């Protein structure tokens, strides 16, 4: 099936084919991401206006939209140009005024002649004790009363597009809605009580009661499910394709892992042991592994990753661990070196810094298989980097690493297994939307010995006390982070905020004690400042959020976050995770600027009460929404028009299992239901998925 199926042609025609839509309005609709009639079909009303007829406006709770029959009285034109043109009218019980600005008198006299009976509908408000209807939405003769709908949907708008335009255009789309075969499982559909697709589309645009606008309304829920189902089908097809790709059977004998476990001063948590088992079982299968290892701050992902790399080495192959920055790569190296020594395997690092003979020697050792495990940055992607036998690629910190890089990496080892690690706890619904093609291993326990971090919330008026607290900690040989707020997305402003704070702290605590890191610095300077702090040469590090991912300084016991109310919860949780990594008790001080709004207060409270990253992430999702949570631009999250990924997580999970089940029974979508599902994919613009079926 190469092109779009014919029944869908009318929905993918030009917008100008709709009633009342010319080139200008089509351009305005483009601002709302409405490019085809189908996009308009999935732009649902968010409110409704009740235009049922009443006898009088008397006793109505104003302001309110009212529809009444009136007798037209005297016209009072405005004295000034563009001023108020008033027409007195009376209904069955009282009188009020119709008000027009910039009015054309002859036009108004024609449509509302004195003595005539008219049906008017619009918003009635009190002004100086007089009820007024300013610019009625409708003013018609009684024989045209049917032109006024009893209930009228209210649509989202943009500049240049009115409710009338939206109403007319959507009615024009509804007239061409085709009847499509059913892609939902019959049992699922009747249990949920959902209407047919065509009925759902029409009903969603003609709400009669506020309840019809709710997410739970059967018609809306059905359309949301269709959207999620199309998305999950696409991910399931990608997963199916990956599973068909030949992988390598990699089976370890446990010998190297046993050496590491014997050398550890503690036992792994049961979550760590379970994750290692899941990964090893995947590696032993002939299909390629595509797994996400998700763990909270300090849940011990490094050990799990290393054990997985050892499975590759035990089987006679090699492994690579990729980090997004050089600092993180070096830190992984430090964390893994002692483990590698206890296992007796050769571990090396490769970054952009490696040049000349040194780099050549490393590349030779890699190609000959002498280097068993490589830690690196994206320098590992360069063409001259070749492995003797790459079995496992681990990618750290997913959101800096898109799907495209995952593919690049998988080309290095023709069939290498891929494990992605992320320290950002992602709520289940988002994990399903973003990583639905992957299997997930969860680390949801903290290893023994991690001390909880005491979190306090204080106003920025107490800055002096905070600096005193830092002074005492430094005297005891401790180190501190001081995170500056991100100012209105402007890097220049960030820079000034960080530099001001740096000067203040340097003056208060002394020269040579305070270091500075911000986004505008050249990478080498940034690395140097971080290295000084890691080596304990500076005691306080003033930073913008560049430090949130992965930096490890066990001696740092205080984290001050300024203007904490401006940060997202997940980000604050990540930053807090930078302390509490050593023996000493640690503190995180969340400084806020009064007055705090309700949302800001709630965020800081959740953080003070909980160290559970998953609970924090769920709260963050409810409070801020998916796009903000992972930054829409880089999140790779699909944009849903009807489905609400935050409030319909359950529906997303159902869609995932339904999609996987459908493909298990009908991998090429050839059965009647499979063919209907192909139509759904076309309808939801999932053209990628269609290619996956055809290429297969």
């Amino acid at each position: 099936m190469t092109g779009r199926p014919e029944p869908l042609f009318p929905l993918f025609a030009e917008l100008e084919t709709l009633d009342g839509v010319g080139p200008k309005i089509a351009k305005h609709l483009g601002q709302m991401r409405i490019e085809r009639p189908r996009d308009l079909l999935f732009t649902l009303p968010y409110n409704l206006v009740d235009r049922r007829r009443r006898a009088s406006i008397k006793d109505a709770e104003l302001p309110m939209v009212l529809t009444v029959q009136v007798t037209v009285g005297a016209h009072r034109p405005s004295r000034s140009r563009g001023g108020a043109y008033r027409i007195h009218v009376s209904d069955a019980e009282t009188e009020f005024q119709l008000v027009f600005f910039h009015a054309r008198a002859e036009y108004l006299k024609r449509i509302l002649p004195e003595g005539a009976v008219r049906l008017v509908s619009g918003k009635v408000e009190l002004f100086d004790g007089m009820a007024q209807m300013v610019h009625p939405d409708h003013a018609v003769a009684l024989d045209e009363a049917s032109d006024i709908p009893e209930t009228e949907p209210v649509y989202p708008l943009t500049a240049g597009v009115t409710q009338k335009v939206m109403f007319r255009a959507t009615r024009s789309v509804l007239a061409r809605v085709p009847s499509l075969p059913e892609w939902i499982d019959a049992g699922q559909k009747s249990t949920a009580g959902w209407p047919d697709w065509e009925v759902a589309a029409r009903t969603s645009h003609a709400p009669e009661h506020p309840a019809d606008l709710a997410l739970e309304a059967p018609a809306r829920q059905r359309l949301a499910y269709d959207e999620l189902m199309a998305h999950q089908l696409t991910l399931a097809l990608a997963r199916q394709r990956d599973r068909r790709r030949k992988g390598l059977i990699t089976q370890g004998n446990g010998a190297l892992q046993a050496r590491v476990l014997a050398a550890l001063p503690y036992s792994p948590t049961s979550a760590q042991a379970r994750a290692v088992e899941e990964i090893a079982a995947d590696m032993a299968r002939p299909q390629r592994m595509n797994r996400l290892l998700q763990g909270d701050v300090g849940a011990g992902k490094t050990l799990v990753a290393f054990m997985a790399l050892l499975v590759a080495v035990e089987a006679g192959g090699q492994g690579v661990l990729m980090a997004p920055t050089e600092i993180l790569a070096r830190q992984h190296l430090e964390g893994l070196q002692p483990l590698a020594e206890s296992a007796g395997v050769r571990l090396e690092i490769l970054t952009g810094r490696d040049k000349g003979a040194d780099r050549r020697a490393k590349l030779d050792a890699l190609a000959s298989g002498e280097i068993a495990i490589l830690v690196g940055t994206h320098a590992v992607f360069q063409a001259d980097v070749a492995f003797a036998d790459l079995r496992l690629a681990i990618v750290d910190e997913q959101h800096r690493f898109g799907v495209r890089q995952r593919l690049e990496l998988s080309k290095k080892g023709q069939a290498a297994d891929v494990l992605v690690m992320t320290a950002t706890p992602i709520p289940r619904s988002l994990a399903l939307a973003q990583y639905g093609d992957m299997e997930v291993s969860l680390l949801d326990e903290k290893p023994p010995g991690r001390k909880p971090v005491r979190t306090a919330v204080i106003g920025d008026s107490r800055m002096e006390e905070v600096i005193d607290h830092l002074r005492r900690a430094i005297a005891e040989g401790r180190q501190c982070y001081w995170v500056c707020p991100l100012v209105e997305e402007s890097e220049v402003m960030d820079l000034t905020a960080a530099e001001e704070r740096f000067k203040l702290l340097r003056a208060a605590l002394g020269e040579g004690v305070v270091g500075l890191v911000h986004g505008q610095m050249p990478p080498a300077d940034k690395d140097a400042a971080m290295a000084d702090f890691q080596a304990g040469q500076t005691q306080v590090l003033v930073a913008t959020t560049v430090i949130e991912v992965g930096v490890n300084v066990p001696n740092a016991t205080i984290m001050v976050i300024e203007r904490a109310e401006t940060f997202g919860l997940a980000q604050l949780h990540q930053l807090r995770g930078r302390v509490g990594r050593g023996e000493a008790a640690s503190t995180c001080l969340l400084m806020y600027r009064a007055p705090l709004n309700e949302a800001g207060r709630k965020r800081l409270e959740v953080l003070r009460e909980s160290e559970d990253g998953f609970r924090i992430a769920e709260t963050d999702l409810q409070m801020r929404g998916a796009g903000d949570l992972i930054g829409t631009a880089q999140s790779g999250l699909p944009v849903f028009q009807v489905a609400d990924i935050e409030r319909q997580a359950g529906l997303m999970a159902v869609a995932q299992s339904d999609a996987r089940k459908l493909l298990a029974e009908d991998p090429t979508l050839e059965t009647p239901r499979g063919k209907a599902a192909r139509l759904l994919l076309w309808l939801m613009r999932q053209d990628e998925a269609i290619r996956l079926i055809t290429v297969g």
Side-chain angles (χ1 to χ4, degrees):
M1 177 158 117
T2 46
R4 185 174 289 117
E6 206 162 312
L8 299 181
F9 285 178
L11 294 180
F12 284 87
E14 297 296 326
L15 281 177
E16 281 100 304
T17 58
L18 298 174
D19 286 351
V21 180
K24 203 161 158 195
I25 286 190
K27 200 172 165 192
H28 290 313
L29 288 170
Q31 299 287 309
M32 296 168 70
R33 293 194 172 153
I34 295 173
E35 284 152 16
R36 300 280 168 188
R38 144 286 153 241
D39 305 329
L40 202 55
L41 185 64
F42 290 107
T43 305
L44 300 186
Y46 64 91
N47 205 344
L48 81 159
V49 177
D50 185 344
R51 294 202 190 271
R52 277 176 283 226
R53 206 187 289 200
R54 297 170 67 126
S56 170
I57 68 160
K58 199 175 166 208
D59 305 329
E61 286 182 27
L62 303 184
M64 189 178 184
V65 172
L66 296 167
T67 308
V68 290
Q69 181 177 319
V70 296
T71 303
V72 182
H75 283 233
R76 293 215 338 252
S78 154
R79 291 198 186 90
S80 62
R81 230 184 116 196
Y85 185 111
R86 300 170 191 278
I87 302 176
H88 277 274
V89 294
S90 50
D91 65 24
E93 296 185 36
T94 184
E95 35 185 66
F96 58 101
Q97 292 178 342
L98 304 182
V99 181
F100 298 86
F101 293 95
H102 299 285
R104 300 202 311 278
E106 64 284 2
Y107 168 73
L108 290 177
K109 283 182 176 139
R110 193 171 72 245
I111 63 160
L112 292 162
E114 202 167 326
V117 175
R118 292 284 183 264
L119 193 62
V120 293
S121 182
K123 189 176 186 181
V124 180
E125 305 180 75
L126 273 181
F127 186 75
D128 282 348
M130 179 53 144
Q132 301 187 337
M133 186 184 285
V134 179
H135 288 279
D137 300 322
H138 301 272
V140 298
L142 296 185
D143 56 358
E144 291 166 13
S146 61
D147 287 0
I148 303 182
E150 290 212 325
T151 52
E152 199 172 348
V154 180
Y155 288 96
L157 301 176
T158 186
V161 178
T162 61
Q163 285 298 341
K164 272 196 171 120
V165 167
M166 281 296 275
F167 185 79
R168 200 169 152 200
T170 48
R171 291 311 162 273
S172 180
V173 177
L174 290 174
R176 48 171 90 175
V177 164
S179 169
L180 299 175
E182 188 52 81
W183 46 78
I184 301 181
D185 171 74
Q188 154 86 345
K189 187 178 162 196
S190 73
T191 310
W194 290 334
D196 288 347
W197 180 76
E198 192 188 349
V199 174
R202 293 181 193 290
T203 314
S204 299
H205 282 278
E208 292 183 2
H209 306 284
D212 298 337
L213 300 164
L215 281 178
E216 302 71 47
R220 286 210 169 202
Q221 202 178 36
R222 145 106 217 206
L223 295 181
Y225 172 86
D226 291 341
E227 239 180 341
L228 298 174
M229 177 71 172
H231 173 65
Q232 287 297 332
L233 256 180
T234 305
L235 291 174
L237 282 161
R239 175 170 170 264
Q240 177 177 286
R241 183 204 53 200
D242 285 344
R243 297 197 139 193
R244 264 189 264 149
R245 286 195 176 152
K246 275 281 172 274
L248 299 165
I249 295 180
T250 303
Q251 268 175 315
N253 55 14
L256 298 176
Q257 297 176 67
R259 286 190 207 168
V260 172
L261 290 174
L264 285 177
Y266 56 85
S267 298
T269 63
S270 55
Q272 284 174 312
R274 185 179 66 234
V276 173
E277 265 170 49
E278 289 169 349
I279 294 164
D282 268 4
M283 291 173 72
R285 291 193 185 96
Q287 293 86 17
R288 278 170 65 175
M289 169 168 78
N290 194 12
R291 187 172 276 279
L292 178 70
L293 174 63
Q294 205 189 352
D296 200 351
V297 174
K301 288 181 296 296
T302 309
L303 178 66
V304 173
F306 192 69
M307 289 303 201
L309 291 163
L310 288 182
V311 174
V313 181
E314 287 170 359
Q318 294 164 294
V320 61
L321 171 61
M322 310 264 319
T325 64
E326 179 148 345
I327 289 176
L328 282 178
R330 296 208 171 275
Q331 197 166 289
H332 278 308
L333 181 74
E334 282 162 35
L336 297 178
Q337 202 76 59
L339 299 175
E341 278 163 22
S342 57
V345 299
R346 181 167 168 196
L347 171 79
E348 288 282 357
I349 185 167
L350 184 69
T351 70
R353 276 196 198 171
D354 291 298
K355 300 276 190 291
D358 196 26
R359 177 178 160 88
R360 194 64 266 153
K362 278 187 189 176
L363 295 185
D364 291 344
L366 200 60
S368 68
E370 288 165 55
I371 296 176
I373 296 174
L374 184 69
V375 174
T377 56
H378 49 248
V380 172
F381 286 145
Q382 286 159 355
D384 58 351
V385 181
F387 292 83
D389 180 10
L390 179 62
R391 298 296 186 94
L392 174 65
I394 301 183
V395 177
D396 184 17
E397 274 307 320
Q398 168 65 10
H399 43 253
R400 317 254 162 120
F401 248 87
V403 176
R404 209 183 68 241
Q405 283 95 331
R406 288 210 301 247
L407 293 173
E408 283 277 314
L409 193 59
S410 58
K411 283 184 204 141
K412 280 285 166 201
Q414 267 41 54
D417 287 323
V418 177
L419 178 69
V420 171
M421 295 200 295
T422 171
T424 316
I426 305 168
R428 178 134 184 263
S429 56
L430 289 194
L432 286 175
Q434 220 181 348
Y435 307 115
D437 57 330
M438 306 176 87
E439 307 305 321
V440 179
S441 290
L442 267 191
L443 295 180
D444 45 11
E445 304 168 45
K446 288 226 166 138
R450 285 283 306 215
K451 295 192 170 64
V453 176
R454 195 177 77 83
T455 303
V457 176
I458 54 173
D460 60 6
S461 55
R462 293 166 60 189
M463 183 80 77
E464 287 303 316
E465 285 174 53
V466 174
I467 294 174
D468 281 341
H469 186 64
L470 254 59
R471 217 176 260 121
R472 286 195 296 278
I474 295 168
E476 290 168 15
R478 300 277 162 229
Q479 288 171 279
C480 319
Y481 290 102
W482 188 295
V483 178
C484 294
L486 285 167
V487 188
E488 274 78 58
E489 296 305 303
S490 137
E491 295 191 326
V492 186
M493 296 283 284
D494 283 349
L495 180 63
T496 19
E499 286 184 334
E500 288 303 306
R501 191 53 69 235
F502 170 66
K503 285 179 194 149
L504 174 88
L505 292 173
R506 194 175 55 185
L509 302 168
E511 291 283 335
V513 175
V514 188
L516 172 66
V517 175
H518 57 72
Q520 297 295 85
M521 290 166 96
D525 295 2
K526 209 186 294 183
D527 286 359
M530 295 294 277
D532 284 349
F533 186 64
Q534 271 173 318
Q537 281 158 9
T538 50
Q539 281 67 52
V540 177
L541 184 65
V542 173
T544 49
T545 50
V546 287
I547 58 163
E548 72 189 87
V549 181
V551 187
N552 195 12
V553 181
N555 190 39
T557 58
I558 298 179
M559 167 65 72
V560 179
I561 304 174
E562 224 180 308
R563 298 294 306 273
E565 76 278 11
T566 62
F567 291 90
L569 263 175
Q571 212 178 12
L572 290 169
H573 178 65
Q574 284 291 316
L575 287 166
R576 174 171 63 181
R578 301 292 111 229
V579 295
R581 291 169 166 255
E583 295 305 302
S586 295
T587 315
C588 175
L589 299 176
L590 303 173
M591 291 175 76
Y592 65 88
R593 178 167 298 173
L596 259 187
N597 66 12
E598 188 52 35
R601 195 180 57 78
K602 188 175 164 197
R603 280 217 289 273
L604 300 185
E605 273 173 12
V606 168
L607 215 71
R608 188 172 58 197
E609 287 156 22
S610 175
E611 278 209 74
D612 174 352
F614 287 93
R615 203 195 120 205
I616 288 170
E618 291 290 352
T619 313
D620 206 9
L621 181 62
Q622 286 156 12
M623 289 180 68
R624 296 205 301 160
D628 292 334
L629 192 61
I630 32 191
T632 313
Q634 43 143 19
S635 69
L637 265 190
V639 177
F640 295 118
Q641 279 185 275
V642 181
D644 181 326
I645 188 170
E646 288 113 68
R647 290 156 60 203
Q648 293 181 309
L651 206 56
M652 174 77 94
V654 172
Q656 186 191 52
S657 67
D658 289 356
R660 289 184 172 188
K661 184 167 175 280
L662 173 60
L663 281 180
E665 293 163 6
D666 180 10
T668 52
L669 299 181
E670 294 299 346
T671 61
R673 186 177 161 216
K675 286 193 168 123
R678 287 177 176 230
L679 269 172
L680 168 68
L681 290 170
W682 279 112
L683 177 66
M684 295 300 178
R685 295 178 176 269
Q686 297 285 347
D687 309 8
E688 275 290 303
I690 308 287
R691 276 210 294 285
L692 287 173
I693 308 170
T694 43
V695 179

